[in-house]
Amino acid sequence: MSRRHLLMLLALAAIWGSSFLFIELALRDLAPSTLILLRMGSGALTLAAYVALTGRSFRRLRPFLLPLALLGLVNTAVPFFLIAWGQQYIDSGLASIFNASAPLFTALFALGYDRSQRATGLRLAGILLGFAGVVLLVGFELAGGRRAVAGGLAVVLASACYGIGGLYAGRRFPGLPPSLVAFGALAWSTAFVLPFGVAQAGTAGWEAIVSVLYLGVAATGAAYLLYFGLIAGAGASKAVLVTYLVPALALAYGAALLDETVTAASLAGLALVLAGVALGTGTVSTR
């Protein structure tokens, strides 16, 4: 991985790490469907402004309308809803940990979908080491009963969606700029969620409004530019490894601002996760 792509990975991790905190805050006033509608809608508007300012033509999207609709459903609408729904019942830090299983799903799905993105050798060892850290972090943290288990499984399912979506995006949109891919996916996902988000809309306080704007402009609009840029430049298997970095930051945000507990097991698990990132991205080699 080049230095430029590594910096993009770290910036994306910092933004997405904070997104779990802001989801938690927004859920105090908003239903999950309304939250993600506002998030995706503001993110789409942010990307539309970027595309217009950079002089790219929206007409280039026409040949890709149906593939973008599928990407918007699988890689945005469904996982965004699953994460928001799951976070009603589990802590923000724990949600980020479950989300870190996405690279494992990518590696598994790549076996039959895209052999060029398969993780083998040292990279595979790194991914497995990182997943061992996730398992250690999860442990027996789901102490909230059936709802907590359901919430955790929802976030894991969202990670599986990201694994599929990242591989699909890496091959299906050759020559289409990442900003247009991201805008097209967000526009479709907003349309999919619109009736549900409007039906469940209610009154929101300033904290929820600020949280949703951050989630839309920074954690969706700007972050999608980074994410799809990583997919195009470094490959889906490396881009999705950002979810290994996110838990460390999400746990820190949760502990500092939401009074969530960080245990010794959490720190040990994070050490394994970060080691897995170093090996899985190729930034550390045994040669």
Side-chain angles (χ1 to χ4, degrees):
M1 178 180 287
S2 69
R3 179 177 297 179
R4 174 173 174 268
H5 290 138
L6 179 59
L7 290 175
M8 290 171 66
L9 181 74
L10 294 175
L12 184 58
I15 295 172
W16 274 347
S18 65
S19 68
F20 294 91
L21 163 68
F22 286 100
I23 290 172
E24 195 84 16
L25 295 175
L27 284 171
R28 294 175 179 177
D29 289 342
L30 299 172
S33 60
T34 304
L35 188 161
I36 65 169
L37 171 62
L38 295 174
R39 176 182 181 178
M40 294 185 303
S42 57
L45 289 175
T46 301
L47 288 173
Y50 176 85
V51 170
L53 288 173
T54 54
R56 293 187 171 91
S57 174
F58 290 99
R59 294 179 180 177
R60 297 180 65 179
L61 293 171
R62 289 180 180 176
F64 301 96
L65 288 180
L66 291 180
L68 284 169
L70 180 58
L71 182 67
L73 182 65
V74 174
N75 198 66
T76 307
V78 171
F80 274 24
F81 175 80
L82 289 171
I83 290 172
W85 185 87
Q87 273 196 239
Q88 294 178 111
Y89 310 114
I90 61 176
D91 287 346
S92 64
L94 185 57
S96 70
I97 294 168
F98 279 114
N99 197 44
S101 61
L104 180 61
F105 285 110
T106 300
L108 292 176
F109 294 144
L111 294 174
Y113 182 80
D114 184 356
R115 292 185 176 274
S116 68
Q117 293 292 337
R118 283 189 303 172
T120 58
L122 192 60
R123 286 187 57 219
L124 178 59
I127 291 175
L128 294 176
L129 180 64
F131 189 71
V134 172
V135 173
L136 175 61
L137 282 166
V138 172
F140 298 96
E141 293 292 326
L142 294 177
R146 292 182 180 178
R147 288 188 175 182
V149 172
L153 291 177
V155 180
V156 171
L157 183 56
S159 301
C161 290
Y162 285 139
I164 297 172
L167 289 169
Y168 182 74
R171 295 191 65 187
R172 192 59 184 82
F173 306 99
L176 192 64
S179 58
L180 285 174
V181 175
F183 169 74
L186 277 173
W188 271 112
S189 61
T190 301
F192 289 141
V193 176
L194 182 62
F196 307 101
V198 171
Q200 293 188 302
T203 304
W206 67 268
E207 187 179 75
I209 293 173
V210 171
S211 296
V212 166
L213 288 176
Y214 175 83
L215 287 168
V217 176
T220 304
Y224 264 42
L225 292 176
L226 290 170
Y227 178 63
F228 284 105
L230 275 171
I231 289 176
S237 293
K238 290 185 178 180
V240 79
L241 285 171
V242 68
T243 54
Y244 270 149
L245 288 171
V246 165
L249 297 170
L251 283 171
Y253 294 138
L257 301 173
L258 296 175
D259 294 325
E260 295 178 355
T261 302
V262 178
T263 64
S266 296
L267 297 177
L270 280 175
L272 290 176
V273 170
L274 294 178
V277 172
L279 293 173
T281 58
T283 55
V284 171
S285 174
T286 58
R287 294 180 182 179

